[in-house]
């Protein structure tokens, strides 16, 4: 499909997604609500998306037969899992529209390529060095320490990262990571973190969700707050403009999340991109008139993109597997009945078979008429569930 192709894929068609995790599940729900059929490709028989989809192709992402089956079933394909090999997307793109493109996903999969893209777009990122060889390790500038050594590929939820203070720790960290390609980033003084989700169509139309203020705990997103005044207006505008230029620079088609750090001095620095809907955008299901998953459907089908409108102040709490255990490690069921007695609470669970510590099991969206009310209810819900206050 060329950039100028305006062919609209109407409801009744089947839409495919590579990856069967919670993002695929929520995509399937959004597509189905609009009258589409869905197909998921994921090897896991109990994948969250596979369980709610009309079709489940149960093969690996590089399985030629599985990809061919998906291509036969579907009118268009998207991805929910950024570690899907770009080659699989490119293969599918030979026979049907695929968004985002393999080339965009390939950049997001590699921290070195991603950072080079930020530099190209003129969007500041943390000072960094690429470390692929012992010589590059030896040549690292001391100004990057203390820093965070991150594997260039396959990291998520803070995995594949080691904090290093000295050159000795850096060398030991690189050994520990198996001497794979890495980037070393200077450790920055963060005042807070935020992210912006944009959706861009094939015709170049681009819309955005409002800036999300994010709190991470142990490298995992814990809380997202979205309401007027969550960030100073100038920072919010700057983040939205930067996110759009990153998407335009990639000639991106689909939903893209751009994560930022806000430094102690107020400076905005881009952290990384996710070529798909993002955990920090889940509030859009209940607080916006168009969710990030509906935006994904609209992008891949060439339906019009209209600027989403926020109708409620909102706080999202991530529900990690830890909530399913007492301190003594006994399994328990969180008190959903108590949480749902609070006004404006919306429970989303992903149907995962086993609760494990640090595993994302679901999220709770809290909506209210005012930011104070949303925060107040979210704090009450957090107290019931055993989530630390924020
Ligand atoms: P995910 O994919 O879940 O967003 P990730 O594994 O890709 O996470 P990063 O986003 O790179 O990891 O980092 C995780 C968290 O670690 C960040 O959200 C931030 O809190 C902290 N962090 C990462 N890089 C830096 C840095 N250069 N300076 C200070 N803190 C950092
Ligand atoms: Mg991140």
């Amino acid at each position: 499909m060329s950039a100028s192709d305006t062919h609209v894929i109407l409801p009744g068609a089947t839409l495919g997604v590579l990856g069967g995790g919670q993002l695929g599940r929520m995509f399937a729900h959004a597509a189905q609500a609009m009258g589409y059929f869905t197909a998921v490709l994921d090897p896991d028989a109990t994948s969250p998306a596979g369980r709610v989809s009309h079709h489940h192709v149960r093969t690996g992402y590089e399985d030629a037969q599985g990809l061919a089956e998906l291509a036969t079933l579907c009118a268009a394909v998207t991805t929910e899992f950024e570690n899907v090999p770009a080659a699989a997307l490119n293969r599918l793109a030979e026979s049907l529209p695929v968004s985002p493109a393999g080339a965009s996903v390939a950049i997001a999969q590699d921290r070195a390529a991603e950072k080079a893209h930020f530099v190209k777009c003129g969007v500041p990122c943390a000072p960094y060095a690429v470390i692929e060889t012992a010589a590059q390790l030896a040549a690292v500038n001391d100004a990057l320490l203390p820093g965070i050594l991150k594997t260039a590929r396959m990291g998520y939820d803070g995995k594949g990262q080691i904090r290093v203070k000295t050159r000795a720790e850096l060398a030991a960290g690189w050994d520990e990571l198996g001497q794979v390609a890495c980037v070393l980033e200077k450790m920055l003084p963060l005042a807070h973190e935020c992210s912006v989700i944009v959706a861009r169509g094939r015709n170049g139309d681009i819309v955005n969700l409002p800036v999300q203020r994010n709190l991470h705990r142990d490298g995992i997103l814990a809380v997202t707050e979205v309401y007027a005044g969550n960030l100073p207006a100038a920072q919010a505008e700057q983040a939205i403009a930067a996110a759009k230029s990153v998407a335009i620079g990639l000639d991106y088609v689909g939903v893209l999340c751009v994560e930022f750090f806000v430094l102690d001095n107020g400076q905005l620095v881009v952290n990384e991109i996710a070529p798909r809907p993002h955990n920090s955008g889940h509030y859009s299901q209940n607080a916006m008139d168009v969710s990030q998953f509906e935006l994904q459907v609209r992008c891949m089908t060439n339906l019009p993109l209209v600027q989403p409108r926020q109708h409620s102040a909102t706080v999202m709490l991530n529900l990690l597997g830890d909530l399913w255990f007492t301190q003594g490690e006994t399994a328990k069921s969180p008190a959903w009945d108590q949480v749902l007695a609070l006004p404006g609470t919306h429970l989303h669970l992903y149907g995962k078979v086993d609760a494990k510590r640090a595993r994302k099991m679901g999220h709770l969206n809290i909506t209210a008429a005012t930011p104070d009310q949303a925060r107040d209810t979210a704090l009450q819900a957090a107290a019931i569930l055993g989530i630390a206050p924020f």
Side-chain angles (χ1 to χ4, degrees):
M1 190 183 239
S2 73
S4 60
D5 199 326
T6 53
H7 172 66
V8 179
I9 298 167
L10 291 169
T14 300
L15 304 180
V17 58
L18 286 167
Q22 61 264 22
L23 299 174
R25 179 182 173 100
M26 291 183 274
F27 162 77
H29 284 152
Q32 290 168 2
M34 295 171 76
Y36 291 96
F37 294 89
T38 61
V40 169
L41 187 143
D42 189 293
D44 177 5
T46 63
S47 76
R51 292 175 132 202
V52 302
S53 189
H54 299 101
H55 306 275
H56 183 180
V57 180
R58 232 177 277 164
T59 68
Y61 302 115
E62 282 169 295
D63 186 289
Q65 239 180 320
L67 292 171
E69 191 183 338
L70 192 71
T72 308
L73 283 167
C74 297
V77 168
T78 185
T79 173
E80 64 107 40
F81 176 55
E82 68 204 73
N83 289 324
V84 162
L89 294 169
N90 293 337
R91 163 74 72 96
L92 289 167
E94 289 167 10
S95 51
L96 76 171
V98 173
S99 60
S104 298
V105 173
I107 288 176
Q109 281 171 349
D110 186 317
R111 289 188 192 277
E114 187 178 59
K115 285 186 163 36
H117 178 71
F118 298 147
V119 172
K120 194 180 107 190
C121 296
V123 177
C125 61
Y128 73 101
V130 176
I131 299 178
E132 289 170 332
T133 64
Q136 286 172 322
L137 180 78
V140 158
N141 190 327
D142 282 330
L144 293 178
L145 296 170
I148 308 188
L149 186 64
K150 304 179 178 183
T151 58
R153 304 179 66 85
M154 302 302 264
Y156 70 99
D157 288 349
K159 293 187 176 74
Q161 301 194 3
I162 298 180
R163 297 182 176 214
V164 292
K165 289 199 210 70
T166 62
R167 298 192 82 90
E169 284 181 16
L170 173 62
W174 196 50
D175 284 344
E176 198 179 316
L177 293 173
Q179 300 196 351
V180 296
C182 286
V183 299
L184 174 68
E185 264 178 56
K186 186 177 171 66
M187 177 73 89
L188 299 174
L190 309 190
H192 45 259
E193 298 187 56
C194 66
S195 55
V196 174
I197 286 163
V198 297
R200 187 164 179 270
R202 251 170 250 284
N203 63 0
D205 282 357
I206 188 164
V207 299
N208 64 281
L209 298 184
V211 178
Q212 297 123 202
R213 180 174 177 140
N214 302 326
L215 171 68
H216 290 80
R217 289 179 172 148
D218 300 325
I220 305 177
L221 182 66
V223 182
T224 294
E225 300 181 61
V226 189
Y227 40 73
N230 63 347
L231 259 81
Q235 275 173 12
E237 274 168 39
Q238 214 188 330
I240 290 168
K244 286 185 174 173
S245 60
V246 167
I248 293 165
L250 288 168
D251 196 18
Y252 192 84
V253 178
V255 172
L256 177 78
C257 179
V258 184
E259 292 183 69
F260 299 92
F261 300 140
V262 180
L263 307 189
D264 282 348
N265 65 6
Q267 197 197 336
L268 189 76
V269 167
V270 63
N271 172 24
E272 60 174 356
I273 58 174
R276 50 171 173 75
H278 190 260
N279 194 167
S280 64
H282 289 353
Y283 70 92
S284 61
Q285 294 170 308
N286 300 109
M288 305 294 304
D289 61 0
V290 185
S291 77
Q292 61 172 346
F293 302 103
E294 179 172 336
L295 290 174
Q296 188 177 18
V297 173
R298 286 177 179 243
C299 287
M300 74 191 289
T301 55
N302 252 335
L303 282 170
L305 292 174
V306 289
Q307 176 59 40
R309 181 183 66 85
Q310 183 170 9
H311 53 71
S312 296
T314 185
V315 177
M316 183 221 59
L317 303 178
N318 254 353
L319 305 171
L320 301 184
D322 306 58
L323 306 184
W324 274 253
F325 297 96
T326 63
Q327 278 187 338
E329 296 297 307
T330 318
K332 67 161 186 186
S333 194
W336 304 129
D337 50 345
Q338 289 179 42
V339 168
L340 292 171
L342 301 170
T345 51
H346 312 270
L347 180 62
H348 299 262
L349 292 175
Y350 309 146
K352 294 190 181 175
V353 183
D354 289 318
K356 285 197 190 143
R357 290 199 178 273
R359 174 177 281 179
K360 291 174 179 171
M361 301 298 292
H363 63 275
L364 189 72
N365 287 337
I366 293 110
T367 54
T370 68
D372 282 349
Q373 278 172 13
R375 272 189 61 85
D376 190 56
T377 307
L379 287 165
Q380 289 181 55
I384 292 167
L385 292 169
I387 297 171
F390 44 90

